[in-house]
């Protein structure tokens, strides 16, 4: 979509918003920010063929996009990958596509463990009662392993994806490969889908790319960006593009590393004393609490994370999940690398990512190296996740990485 057309569409969306349109009444089932109020941004990736629907999701003000992809079928109708919250605003936008291109025919849940994706599928499917729902294998839930029907999935319309992709009813237009790792207490599954005609690869959590500028969905309400742009609690929140960019880059470090090396956590006593001097002690500003102190080299950490926008595997998967089945993961990546695609749409962070099969496969090279973590990411930034891994192994929750 060209810039003028996209800007006009965005402005039209903003003009039609009513507060009730943003309501997500089931937020307490997974209480992530922005809780019961979720705005949706629709973007046309390929004209009259592919659209993405983005919302925000995170913990407190550490936010990142969560993304659904909708693809027009050659035979008429729509294919939906990884639904987001079906707010009235979101459903209205989709119905505009339905009016032009036909009903939603297929809804794909491409993960077995990702509750931030699974939680939306049942309510979404009930908004479109003509759609068939296909799910990744070995579905499970925590703390209670409940059947999908208890999670709102329409029982008569929900089925597991066929192991043989050629048996799927949409096989003429799509191929897919399932990664299913047995973690003992459950599985990690991801279904990568290739839309052949547009040469587009859809993935869920396996591949990320971090943009330098804050995504458009995050700029609809820039307060979280501005909150994290500050260097201390006494600094006033000021809205400008430099602060939006600064806040986004720091949020990215938090979201990817959980506790990046460039940030120091202030003890609670000092944090409360600083809060008393904060210019804004409102509830929105967490009563002035800001227990972070960023080091001067934080920008260097972000640049290493971004690395010119190259696709990479998130550190939590590099450390805790994929080393549990390195051969299986590499076989999955090898298969996908043979597919003919030129862009990747991931469910999080930047999208689309301009990348080929070779670049996709390169992101998994860390599994062929020792130590297990990719050398592209600074060792000091990975320290917290490695400590987390060690703790989980001591508690018997995680197991040591398998040999390749």
């Amino acid at each position: 979509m060209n810039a003028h057309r996209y800007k006009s569409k965005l402005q039209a969306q903003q003009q039609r918003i009513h507060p009730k349109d943003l309501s997500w009444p089931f937020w307490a089932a997974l209480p992530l920010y922005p809780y019961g109020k979720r705005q949706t941004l629709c973007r046309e990736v390929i004209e009259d063929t592919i659209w993405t629907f983005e919302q925000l999701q995170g913990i407190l003000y550490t936010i990142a996009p969560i993304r659904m992809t909708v693809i027009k079928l050659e035979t008429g109708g729509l294919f939906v990958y990884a639904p987001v919250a079906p707010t009235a605003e979101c459903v209205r936008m989709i119905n505009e596509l339905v009016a032009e291109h036909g009903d939603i025919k297929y809804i794909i849940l491409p993960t077995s463990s990702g509750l931030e994706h699974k939680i939306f599928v049942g309510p979404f499917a009930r908004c479109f009662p003509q759609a068939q729902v296909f799910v990744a294998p070995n579905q499970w839930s925590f703390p209670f392993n409940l059947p999908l029907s208890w999670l709102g999935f329409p029982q008569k319309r929900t089925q597991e994806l066929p192991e043989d992709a050629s048996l799927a009813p949409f096989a003429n237009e799509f191929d897919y490969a399932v990664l299913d790792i047995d973690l003992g207490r459950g599985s990690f599954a991801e279904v990568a889908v290739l839309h052949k005609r547009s040469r587009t690869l859809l993935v869920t959590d396996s591949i990320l790319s971090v943009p330098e500028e804050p995504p458009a969905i995050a700029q609809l309400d820039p307060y979280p960006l501005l909150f994290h742009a500050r260097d201390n609690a006494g600094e006033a929140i000021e809205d400008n593009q430099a602060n939006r960019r600064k806040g986004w880059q720091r949020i990215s470090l938090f979201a990817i590393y959980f506790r990046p090396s460039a940030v120091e956590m202030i003890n609670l006593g000092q944090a409360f004393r600083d809060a008393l001097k904060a210019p804004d002690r409102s509830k929105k500003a967490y009563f002035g609490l800001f227990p972070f102190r960023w080091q001067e080299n934080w920008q260097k950490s972000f640049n290493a994370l971004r690395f010119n926008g190259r696709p990479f595997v998130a550190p939590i998967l590099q450390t805790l999940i994929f080393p549990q089945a390195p051969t299986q993961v590499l076989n999955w990546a090898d298969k996908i690398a043979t597919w003919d695609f030129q862009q990747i749409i991931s469910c999080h962070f930047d999208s689309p990512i301009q990348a080929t099969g070779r670049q996709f496969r390169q992101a998994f090279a860390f599994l062929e190296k020792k130590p297990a973590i990719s050398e592209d990411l600074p060792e000091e930034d990975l320290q917290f996740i490695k400590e987390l891994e060690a703790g989980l192994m001591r508690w018997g929750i995680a197991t040591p990485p398998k040999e390749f």
Side-chain angles (χ1 to χ4, degrees):
M1 179 185 288
N2 64 55
H4 177 71
R5 184 178 175 187
Y6 172 65
K7 184 176 180 181
S8 298
K9 188 176 182 68
L10 180 58
Q11 290 172 340
Q13 288 180 204
Q14 296 295 300
Q15 292 169 358
R16 291 182 296 174
I17 289 176
H18 187 281
K20 289 184 178 180
D21 290 350
L22 310 183
S23 174
W24 172 238
F26 306 116
W27 67 269
L30 187 64
L32 297 178
Y33 181 89
Y35 313 113
K37 181 182 178 182
R38 290 173 175 264
Q39 194 159 356
T40 305
L41 182 62
C42 176
R43 306 186 68 171
E44 189 175 52
V45 178
I46 297 179
E47 188 172 356
D48 290 331
T49 302
I50 298 180
W51 301 262
T52 57
F53 291 73
E54 296 178 357
Q55 297 174 355
L56 286 178
Q57 196 159 273
I59 297 176
L60 304 177
Y61 288 142
T62 301
I63 56 170
I66 182 168
R67 182 176 295 109
M68 166 178 70
T69 303
V70 178
I71 300 179
K72 176 185 174 182
L73 298 166
E74 290 183 285
T75 54
L78 300 168
F79 174 100
V80 173
Y81 181 91
V84 293
T87 63
E89 177 194 38
C90 179
V91 171
R92 184 184 66 237
M93 292 177 181
I94 295 170
N95 280 333
E96 290 176 2
L97 296 181
V98 167
E100 186 173 355
H101 303 293
D103 289 334
I104 293 177
K105 289 189 174 180
Y106 311 110
I107 298 170
I108 310 299
L109 170 60
T111 176
S112 63
S113 53
L115 189 57
E116 74 277 15
H117 301 287
K118 186 183 300 189
I119 200 74
F120 302 127
V121 178
F124 187 93
R126 293 181 183 279
C127 293
F128 301 96
Q130 71 291 331
Q132 296 182 58
V133 181
F134 289 90
V135 302
N138 294 318
Q139 293 292 317
W140 62 286
S141 59
F142 179 86
F144 304 107
N145 195 12
L146 302 174
L148 290 179
S149 59
W150 287 30
L151 300 176
F153 285 66
Q155 189 170 6
K156 294 182 179 180
R157 294 188 285 125
T158 301
Q159 58 188 296
E160 190 173 293
L161 279 164
E163 184 176 352
D164 183 349
S166 67
L167 300 179
F170 41 81
N172 287 341
E173 298 186 51
F174 299 88
D175 199 355
Y176 61 82
V178 179
L179 175 64
D180 185 18
I181 301 174
D182 183 3
L183 300 176
R185 291 174 172 80
S187 72
F188 172 91
E190 173 152 344
V191 182
V193 174
L194 173 70
H195 182 229
K196 303 172 187 177
R197 180 162 55 95
S198 68
R199 299 171 64 198
T200 300
L201 177 69
L202 309 180
V203 297
T204 312
D205 300 312
S206 59
I207 290 291
L208 301 173
S209 176
V210 178
E212 186 173 22
E213 298 292 331
I217 184 66
Q219 301 205 55
L220 297 181
D221 176 10
Y223 190 85
L225 306 177
L226 306 176
F227 180 88
H228 282 290
R230 296 175 299 158
D231 292 323
N232 55 68
E235 187 176 330
I237 289 177
E238 182 180 348
D239 189 4
N240 56 57
Q241 195 56 40
N243 277 346
R244 292 186 181 200
R245 182 188 308 112
K246 183 179 180 182
W248 165 251
Q249 294 180 2
R250 289 178 170 181
I251 283 172
S252 298
L253 290 170
F254 270 129
I256 298 295
Y257 294 125
F258 306 150
R259 195 179 70 194
S261 64
V263 70
E264 176 188 352
M265 304 303 295
I266 301 171
N267 68 68
L268 282 179
Q270 184 62 53
F272 280 113
R273 288 191 292 272
D274 290 346
L276 295 175
K277 304 173 187 176
D280 183 359
R281 296 195 295 275
S282 66
K283 180 181 178 181
K284 184 177 183 180
Y286 296 124
F287 309 103
L289 285 171
F290 188 78
F292 314 117
R293 182 180 291 124
W294 287 91
Q295 298 176 11
E296 292 183 359
N297 68 339
W298 73 267
Q299 185 75 59
K300 181 180 178 182
S301 287
F302 176 79
N303 291 340
L305 175 66
R306 171 168 163 72
F307 203 74
N308 298 318
R310 61 84 170 84
F312 67 98
V313 175
I316 192 71
L317 296 182
Q318 288 196 27
T319 308
L320 294 177
I321 305 299
F322 289 168
Q324 296 300 310
T327 301
Q328 187 179 351
V329 174
L330 288 172
N331 289 340
W332 179 75
D334 284 339
K335 178 177 181 179
I336 294 169
T338 66
W339 292 347
D340 179 21
F341 60 89
Q342 60 186 6
Q343 64 179 358
I344 302 171
I345 297 179
S346 175
C347 286
H348 302 286
F349 286 93
D350 205 6
S351 184
I353 308 164
Q354 302 306 311
T356 62
R358 182 186 64 81
Q359 292 164 305
F360 177 89
R361 177 59 177 80
Q362 190 173 8
F364 294 86
F366 68 92
L367 286 170
E368 301 166 306
K369 300 177 182 179
K370 293 183 179 181
I373 301 298
S374 170
E375 295 176 358
D376 289 340
L377 301 176
E379 192 72 19
E380 58 271 20
D381 283 320
L382 297 163
Q383 189 61 36
F384 177 76
I385 294 177
K386 293 172 72 175
E387 291 173 0
L388 175 63
E389 177 194 28
L392 292 174
M393 285 194 290
R394 282 196 303 271
W395 300 330
I397 298 174
T399 57
K402 304 295 191 299
E403 291 294 329
F404 170 65

